[in-house]
Amino acid sequence: MAHPSGPRKRLGVARLWYEGNAFCPIPATRQDFERREWRKGPDALQAAQGTATELAAVCDFMQARPDWEVVVSRCASALPSGPIDDALFETFAAEVLEDFRHGHWDALYLSLHGAGITSRRDAPELELVKALRAAHPGIPIAASFDMHANHAPELVHLLDIACGYRTYPHIDMRETAARTLDLLRRTTEGDIRPVGAMRHEGLFLSSANMRTDSGPMAALQELALSLIQAPVLDVSVYGGFAYANSSNIGASVMAWADGDGKAAQNATDRVYAELARRAHEFDIPLISAAEGIAMALKTPGLVAVTDPADNPLSGGIGDTPTLLRALLDAGPDFPCVFASLADAAVLRAAQAAGIGAVMEVQLGGKQTPLYGETITLTVQVERFTGGRYINTGPMEHGSAVDCGQTVVLRAGTVQIIVSEHVASCNDPAFFALHGIDLAATRLLCVKAKNHFRAAFAPLYQAIVDVDAPGPACLNLALLPLGRRHTQHN
């Protein structure tokens, strides 16, 4: 552990972790952030202590480096959905800028996602970085990013260092922040002089086959890691997030080298060339919800079917009915679980009716008619919860989750979870909260994508991915990409 000698260096920290889906009709409000993260100072660090998140790495840094004073400004994150309310972003940015306006600062660290949008801004995170750079032209600024960040080429000239997640599912958030903070410290202390390079040529990639356990992204990450040797400090591969539909959407590669711009550019070019060569491998054959259910019914053992098009961690709305309709039409004669729908009206009606009540409900297709018609169904009310739990799986392990009050409804052999707010079902604790015995659930249907596999792949004999109508459908050709951006070929 380092020990103070002379004046302590001062590190400013702020966080905006949000992924915006331009095709999601639900905007991100202050309440959405407050349910997940709207904290600053010691409160932000206390909530993150021991979790698998970026701010936990800040806690680690503070413990290991008592010669640094760490000041935490506003930290904000919310479940992905539509554009952030502009007034909310302006409030966030003004607070961060004011917090860092006065006093002496030796370095700034930003925990960013990289795919945020507001109703009027294509790249709010870029705007924040620009403002901080203008206010502090002479100090090192570093940022960590999600693997699905959409990067503007100018970003590499505004930051002194940037690192991206290397795993998908994202189970290395804490490690990525630690890597970023160490490079930032070394930069501030004069040990290294990072020079960055980036390639971004408007290449849209489907994230359907972007996991890092195997496939093209695994190979790209391995190549990137192999190039990190002096003078190269870091190489990050970003798959982009096309659903943001912003001016910067697309895959990119960013590399940093110690005082050697040519080395950074060579590493970037080498990885980007391989990315472009393997781009076709990110597309996988897509099957319909009905086909996926039929395949699951023929597969022995425990099987999960995922509906990525309404995945809450891609900006899903918890309202598309296609997968639920296919499950009900199949009429399985064994225990099944469907997770989940977001419908406060159905929840309130069930609460009024009470446990054991039989009632008729309308499920799905209420936010927009674009993704399918509402299902009318007779159900029995089985269980209510407060909708709060602590993640037990590897992704964001230890983080508190609040999806509002929830209810479990039963229609024959199918249990349907309905929540007050859009809820991610990527952690086993979500199902434990609802009294679901996963070991006895022959078929689990979820609105989820690759992050689901972090905790559930070891539990299931097979996971079947389907494509259905929704704001995050896997077939990018079905989306009007280009409304908010100009594509570069």
Side-chain angles (χ1 to χ4, degrees):
M1 179 181 291
H3 296 281
S5 58
R8 300 171 75 197
K9 294 186 181 298
R10 295 188 82 214
L11 170 67
V13 174
R15 169 171 161 85
L16 179 60
W17 196 91
Y18 183 75
E19 187 175 64
N21 185 323
F23 308 104
C24 173
I26 306 174
T29 66
R30 172 73 172 262
Q31 291 71 32
D32 296 316
F33 281 87
E34 288 177 343
R35 273 196 305 277
R36 179 180 169 98
E37 181 184 24
W38 186 262
R39 306 183 185 96
K40 68 186 303 183
D43 289 343
L45 295 178
Q46 183 177 358
Q49 183 75 45
T51 65
T53 64
E54 288 92 332
L55 286 186
V58 175
C59 297
D60 298 336
F61 181 88
M62 291 175 64
Q63 183 176 4
R65 308 297 311 192
D67 51 329
W68 283 73
E69 176 190 0
V70 178
V71 179
V72 180
S73 181
R74 179 60 61 191
C75 295
S77 66
L79 202 67
S81 59
I84 302 171
D85 175 73
D86 269 287
L88 177 62
F89 171 72
E90 289 161 8
T91 295
F92 166 85
E95 183 175 1
V96 172
L97 289 169
E98 179 61 26
D99 285 347
F100 296 149
R101 189 180 309 279
H102 307 291
H104 172 77
W105 300 96
D106 292 285
L108 299 179
Y109 163 64
L110 304 174
S111 167
L112 303 175
H113 185 286
I117 54 174
T118 76
S119 55
R120 298 197 304 268
R121 292 172 169 87
D122 266 0
E125 292 129 315
L126 177 65
E127 183 176 315
L128 176 66
V129 171
K130 283 183 175 179
L132 287 170
R133 175 52 73 202
H136 301 282
I139 70 169
I141 302 177
S144 58
F145 290 97
D146 189 285
M147 185 188 291
H148 297 106
N150 295 318
H151 283 319
E154 63 190 294
L155 187 68
V156 76
H157 304 297
L158 296 168
L159 293 171
D160 293 273
I161 200 74
C163 300
Y165 303 163
R166 290 172 174 160
T167 65
Y168 183 33
H170 304 325
I171 58 175
D172 67 331
M173 297 176 178
R174 187 171 181 171
E175 292 80 1
T176 299
R179 190 166 91 245
T180 309
L181 286 164
D182 185 60
L183 290 170
L184 177 61
R185 176 193 61 80
R186 293 174 62 195
T187 302
T188 306
E189 295 177 352
D191 180 43
I192 56 174
R193 296 181 299 108
V195 180
M198 189 171 89
R199 285 279 298 274
H200 183 324
E201 299 176 2
L203 181 63
F204 303 161
L205 300 180
S206 169
S207 59
N209 191 32
M210 202 177 280
R211 297 189 302 277
T212 51
D213 57 344
S214 63
M217 185 55 81
L220 289 165
Q221 292 292 345
E222 183 178 354
L223 173 60
L225 279 171
S226 73
L227 298 177
I228 302 176
Q229 47 189 307
V232 177
L233 300 166
D234 192 86
V235 183
S236 294
V237 186
Y238 299 95
F241 187 69
Y243 307 112
N245 206 21
S246 62
S247 56
N248 301 310
I249 60 173
S252 63
V253 176
M254 191 184 297
W256 300 83
D258 183 11
D260 192 336
K262 184 176 181 180
Q265 190 64 60
N266 287 342
T268 299
D269 290 343
R270 183 170 174 186
V271 177
Y272 194 89
E274 183 66 5
L275 186 154
R277 187 183 75 82
R278 305 187 74 143
H280 68 282
E281 297 179 31
F282 287 91
D283 294 318
I284 59 173
L286 303 177
I287 61 175
S288 69
E291 291 171 326
I293 293 293
M295 182 183 300
L297 295 179
K298 295 176 182 177
T299 303
L302 303 181
V303 182
V305 177
T306 69
D307 178 10
D310 201 22
N311 169 31
L313 293 186
S314 295
I317 56 179
D319 185 59
T320 65
T322 303
L323 181 59
L324 176 59
R325 189 184 302 279
L327 175 61
L328 295 171
D329 287 347
D333 59 1
F334 47 74
C336 305
V337 173
F338 182 89
S340 63
L341 292 164
D343 195 322
V346 167
L347 170 69
R348 301 289 179 248
Q351 289 173 328
I355 297 291
V358 176
M359 57 189 293
E360 184 177 275
V361 294
Q362 284 73 46
L363 299 174
K366 295 181 180 179
Q367 291 287 346
T368 172
L370 292 175
Y371 307 128
E373 296 181 359
T374 297
I375 298 170
T376 299
L377 191 63
T378 299
V379 298
Q380 185 173 30
V381 181
E382 280 199 344
R383 180 187 179 98
F384 295 107
T385 87
R388 297 187 179 189
Y389 58 95
I390 304 295
N391 282 334
T392 59
M395 184 172 169
E396 295 191 293
H397 180 87
S399 297
V401 179
D402 179 4
C403 53
Q405 298 178 42
T406 72
V407 62
V408 180
L409 307 174
R410 177 175 291 278
T413 63
V414 180
Q415 290 177 296
I416 303 167
I417 300 174
V418 178
S419 58
E420 185 176 7
H421 306 296
V422 177
S424 168
C425 51
N426 287 306
D427 196 279
F430 176 82
F431 296 96
L433 173 72
H434 293 95
I436 304 297
D437 181 0
L438 292 172
T441 302
R442 167 71 173 79
L443 177 58
L444 176 63
C445 294
V446 293
K447 291 178 177 290
K449 193 165 55 176
N450 288 321
H451 289 314
F452 174 80
R453 294 172 181 259
F456 292 89
L459 306 178
Y460 284 85
Q461 276 69 43
I463 297 177
V464 179
D465 302 313
V466 305
D467 198 27
C473 60
L474 296 180
N475 186 356
L476 297 181
L478 298 179
L479 297 174
L481 296 176
R483 181 171 56 83
R484 292 172 60 103
H485 86 290
T486 301
Q487 181 174 350
H488 302 285
N489 295 313

